[in-house]
């Protein structure tokens, strides 16, 4: 007696035949996934560019270049960022305080305050999109689960009027609903991994820039005290 092969479930057909609510959930999750991958690509490029520019400026800074020369070069760049922009803001504030005849302690204190503000501003611009990734990673599974619960509920309501319920009649409805959870995980997992990855990179970059700001303050203090030491 020949055996009949059960028909395979086609994912595209399941999506097309799903209920309107489940389809809307799937569309929302697909849009969230697209947004997540866009933010991942954007953050990756931003971090690479920031790291590259920091390395370039640090080489010049540690080569012993004079601060006025570094400031002049920084002022000619409209797209400066990272340690170069932090240096520009800090040294500009130091010169302003010196011009106002502030004491060395006041000048250093004011410069440190501006350096902290500039450092925080640079990090905030660099981390743009991380909060969105965190939201997608935490919410997407629950949105997918909502679609699954709704789909299963609708499937069982439709089966309540059926004369005979078999696995063949139940499976398509449950499979349609479970696709929503799968898409939710598909959107959430990369977002969570990317969030953890870029958060770690951001913290490491922040520490490097914070050390740069401390060294810059120490060099300013040494340069200000140099004439007094010579006398």
């Amino acid at each position: 007696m020949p055996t009949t092969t059960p028909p395979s479930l086609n994912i595209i057909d399941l999506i097309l035949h799903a209920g309107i609510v489940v389809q809307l959930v799937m569309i929302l999750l697909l849009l969230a996934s697209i947004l997540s991958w866009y933010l991942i690509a954007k953050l990756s490029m931003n971090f690479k560019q920031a790291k590259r520019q920091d390395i370039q400026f640090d080489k010049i800074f540690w080569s012993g270049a004079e601060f006025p020369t570094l400031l002049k070069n920084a002022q000619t760049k409209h797209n400066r960022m990272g340690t170069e922009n932090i240096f520009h803001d800090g040294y500009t504030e130091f010169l302003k305080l010196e011009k106002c005849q502030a004491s060395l302690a006041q000048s250093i204190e004011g410069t440190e305050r501006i350096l902290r503000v500039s450092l925080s501003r640079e990090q905030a611009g660099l981390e743009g999109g991380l909060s969105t990734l965190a939201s997608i990673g935490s919410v997407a599974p629950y949105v997918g689960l909502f679609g699954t619960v709704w789909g299963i509920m609708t499937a069982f309501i439709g089966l309540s009027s059926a004369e005979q319920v078999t696995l063949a009649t139940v499976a398509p409805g449950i499979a349609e609903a479970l696709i929503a959870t799968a898409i939710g995980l598909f959107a959430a997992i990369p977002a969570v991994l990317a969030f953890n990855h870029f958060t770690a990179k951001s913290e490491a970059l922040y520490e490097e820039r914070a050390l740069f700001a401390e060294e810059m303050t120490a060099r300013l203090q040494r340069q200000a005290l140099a004439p007094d030491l010579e006398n």
Side-chain angles (χ1 to χ4, degrees):
M1 182 176 179
T3 58
T4 58
T5 303
S8 60
L9 297 178
N10 188 288
I11 295 179
I12 302 298
D13 291 339
L14 291 175
I15 294 175
L16 294 177
H17 290 90
I20 184 65
V21 175
V22 178
Q23 286 182 341
L24 289 175
V25 168
M26 292 178 184
I27 292 173
L28 178 62
L29 291 172
L30 285 174
L31 292 175
S33 179
I34 293 172
L35 175 60
S36 175
W37 283 106
Y38 165 76
L39 292 175
I40 290 172
K42 180 182 177 182
L43 285 166
S44 179
M45 290 187 294
N46 288 346
F47 273 97
K48 287 181 181 179
Q49 182 183 10
K51 185 65 176 179
R52 182 171 61 252
Q53 292 192 1
D54 281 1
I55 291 175
Q56 290 176 352
F57 182 75
D58 287 350
K59 287 181 179 179
I60 302 174
F61 181 84
W62 295 109
S63 66
E66 296 294 330
F67 278 17
T69 303
L70 293 174
L71 179 62
K72 185 177 179 180
N73 292 336
Q75 288 174 339
T76 61
K77 299 180 181 178
H78 299 289
N79 60 339
R80 61 177 178 269
M81 61 181 296
T83 52
E84 186 172 23
N85 198 43
I86 294 171
F87 166 82
H88 173 271
D89 294 344
Y91 191 54
T92 300
E93 180 67 14
F94 182 80
L95 294 178
K96 288 179 180 178
L97 292 172
E98 271 196 336
K99 190 175 181 180
C100 295
Q101 297 181 347
S103 64
L104 177 59
Q106 291 173 333
S107 298
I108 295 298
E109 182 181 356
T111 302
E112 288 178 340
R113 183 168 56 251
I114 294 299
L115 287 173
R116 287 193 296 269
V117 171
S118 182
L119 177 59
S120 299
R121 189 185 300 117
E122 288 294 319
Q123 289 299 120
L126 190 62
E127 295 174 357
L130 275 180
S131 59
T132 304
L133 282 179
S135 299
I136 293 174
S138 60
V139 174
Y142 295 103
V143 175
L145 182 60
F146 166 77
T148 296
V149 171
W150 186 277
I152 292 176
M153 181 180 66
T154 303
F156 278 108
I157 290 174
L159 292 173
S160 62
S161 59
E163 296 181 357
Q164 185 179 4
V165 179
T166 63
L167 182 61
T169 57
V170 175
I174 296 178
E176 292 171 4
L178 289 175
I179 292 176
T181 297
I183 297 176
L185 294 175
F186 176 78
I189 292 174
V192 172
L193 293 176
F195 174 79
N196 293 335
H197 172 71
F198 289 118
T199 298
K201 293 191 71 172
S202 179
E203 291 176 355
L205 193 61
Y206 182 89
E207 292 296 330
E208 293 175 2
R209 290 175 172 179
L211 289 174
F212 167 83
E214 292 180 5
E215 178 59 27
M216 175 183 168
T217 303
R219 282 187 59 180
L220 283 172
Q221 194 167 11
R222 288 195 299 269
Q223 290 183 11
L225 293 174
D228 297 335
L229 293 176
E230 291 176 359
N231 294 333

